[in-house]
């Protein structure tokens, strides 16, 4: 018969194993890759609601934003990166820092709320950015835009939050085809990617923004359904994003599910598994 001390030793060994596993996972997430679920449609059709990817933290080096945040409101957990690494915040520098490139799809901490956002890097420090008639201008020059057909999806609640897509072909009932115009945009450094258009709205014509030193300008690919640098952070947008707020680069989709849960295997998008992000 096992002794009580043997049972006690087994219990403490289990606790040690769990603690070591959590430490290793925390170090891995802090230094190398951070998991990220796509919660909204602001990056369609590059990223869809329900895409799961790992964010490459090594791409741009490390700052306070590299520390993990854990936000689980359902059980009252809200641990922010500043709670752990706030002592590194404020100098807008990075350790082993690398420069983000225009066109990169980047995860960053919102300058006001601190929540993780994912958008495409459009404007670099010192540049001017403007949108006129839905066309992006960088340093006063329009980028190249070519028609690329339509993007179609089913009009239905999407993802765990049950978000409904906006459609260029007007309100569409459940099960109908939701259509958006699709264009291929080519940035000054030659990076090409799809953008979507829903209709004419205020964000299609903006003032000229001058990106401050040490900060960046981000936009969503789903241009008419994206809260991004076109709107100041204090009024519900993103505004300019400091260098130190960058978490990492999105390189590859690992898994994708169109359903409300990843357990709904019949909603998995197998054609998006291990797909590169461009």
């Amino acid at each position: 018969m096992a002794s009580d001390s043997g049972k006690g030793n087994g219990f403490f060994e289990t606790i040690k194993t769990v603690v070591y596993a959590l430490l290793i996972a925390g170090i891995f997430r802090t230094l190398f890759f951070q998991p990220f679920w796509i919660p909204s449609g602001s990056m369609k059709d590059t990223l869809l609601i329900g895409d799961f990817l790992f964010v490459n933290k090594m791409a741009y080096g490390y700052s306070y934003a590299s520390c993990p945040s854990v936000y689980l409101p359902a059980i009252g957990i809200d641990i922010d990166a500043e709670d752990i690494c706030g002592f590194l915040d404020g100098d807008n520098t990075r350790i082993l820092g690398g420069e983000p490139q225009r066109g990169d799809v980047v995860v960053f901490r919102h300058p006001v709320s601190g929540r993780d956002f994912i958008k495409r890097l459009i404007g670099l420090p010192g540049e001017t950015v403007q949108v006129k008639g839905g066309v992006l201008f960088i340093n006063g020059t329009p980028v190249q835009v070519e028609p690329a057909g339509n993007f179609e999806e089913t009009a239905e609640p999407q993802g765990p939050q049950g978000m409904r897509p906006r459609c260029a072909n007007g309100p569409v009932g459940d099960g109908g085809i939701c259509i958006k115009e699709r264009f291929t945009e080519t940035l000054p450094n030659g990076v090409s990617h799809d953008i979507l258009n829903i209709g004419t709205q205020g964000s299609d014509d903006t003032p000229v923004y001058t990106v401050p030193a040490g900060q960046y300008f981000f936009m969503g690919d789903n241009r008419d359904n994206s809260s991004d640098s076109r709107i100041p952070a204090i009024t519900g947008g993103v505004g300019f994003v400091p260098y130190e707020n960058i978490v990492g680069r999105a390189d590859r989709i690992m898994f994708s599910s169109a359903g409300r849960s990843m357990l709904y295997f019949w909603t998995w998008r197998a054609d998006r598994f291990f797909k590169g992000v461009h």
Side-chain angles (χ1 to χ4, degrees):
M1 180 179 295
S3 66
D4 290 341
S5 61
K7 292 180 180 179
N9 289 338
F11 174 76
F12 285 116
E13 285 299 318
T14 300
I15 294 297
K16 284 170 58 179
T17 299
V18 171
V19 170
Y20 289 152
L22 291 174
L23 285 174
I24 292 171
I27 292 171
F28 182 86
R29 179 172 175 176
T30 299
L31 296 180
F32 303 112
F33 299 98
Q34 174 177 316
F36 191 87
W37 281 99
I38 302 301
S40 74
S42 69
M43 283 296 293
K44 292 178 181 177
D45 63 350
T46 303
L47 299 172
L48 304 181
I49 295 176
D51 283 349
F52 175 78
L53 48 86
F54 282 105
V55 179
N56 181 357
K57 290 190 170 184
M58 298 175 285
Y60 311 128
Y62 306 96
S63 71
Y64 86 97
S66 302
C67 286
S69 297
V70 181
Y71 182 57
L72 300 171
I75 57 176
I77 295 179
D78 187 1
I79 302 174
D80 190 86
E82 282 192 340
D83 298 332
I84 304 171
C85 297
F87 65 95
L88 297 173
D89 184 16
D91 59 1
N92 205 27
T93 61
R94 306 182 72 84
I95 300 171
L96 303 176
E99 291 296 327
Q101 301 299 306
R102 191 195 319 278
D104 286 355
V105 177
V106 177
V107 172
F108 56 87
R109 284 174 52 83
H110 189 280
V112 174
S113 71
R115 300 300 177 207
D116 287 346
F117 273 53
I118 185 165
K119 306 288 181 185
R120 189 176 298 276
L121 176 55
I122 296 297
L124 304 176
E127 295 185 331
T128 63
V129 178
Q130 185 181 22
V131 180
K132 293 193 293 185
V135 177
L136 174 64
F137 285 68
I138 298 177
N139 295 325
T141 302
V143 301
Q144 180 181 341
V145 179
E146 297 179 349
N150 290 329
F151 171 73
E152 298 183 357
E153 58 185 335
T154 303
E156 61 184 359
Q158 298 178 349
Q161 300 178 39
M163 302 180 71
R164 296 187 61 85
R166 291 177 57 208
C167 312
N169 54 328
V172 177
D174 279 353
I177 301 299
C178 177
I179 298 174
K180 299 177 180 64
E181 294 180 297
R182 177 165 50 198
F183 300 87
T184 297
E185 180 179 84
T186 302
L187 300 174
N189 60 343
V191 173
S192 294
H193 58 97
D194 287 345
I195 60 172
L196 302 182
N197 177 60
I198 299 172
T200 301
Q201 59 186 51
S203 57
D204 290 333
D205 291 280
T206 73
V208 176
Y209 302 98
T210 300
V211 185
Q215 302 196 42
Y216 296 87
F217 192 99
F218 290 91
M219 295 177 67
D221 290 349
N222 191 1
R223 291 287 163 82
D224 291 340
N225 195 42
S226 175
S227 176
D228 51 39
S229 293
R230 290 171 289 180
I231 305 172
I234 59 174
T235 59
V238 169
F240 303 119
V241 177
Y243 182 47
E244 66 180 352
N245 280 41
I246 291 175
V247 175
R249 185 180 65 214
D251 290 335
R252 189 170 298 276
I253 300 165
M254 305 303 294
F255 172 83
S256 184
S257 173
R260 297 182 66 88
S261 169
M262 65 179 295
L263 300 178
Y264 297 171
F265 63 87
W266 58 91
T267 67
W268 291 356
R269 306 183 186 106
D271 60 325
R272 298 184 67 79
F273 290 11
F274 309 110
K275 181 180 179 181
V277 177
H278 304 290

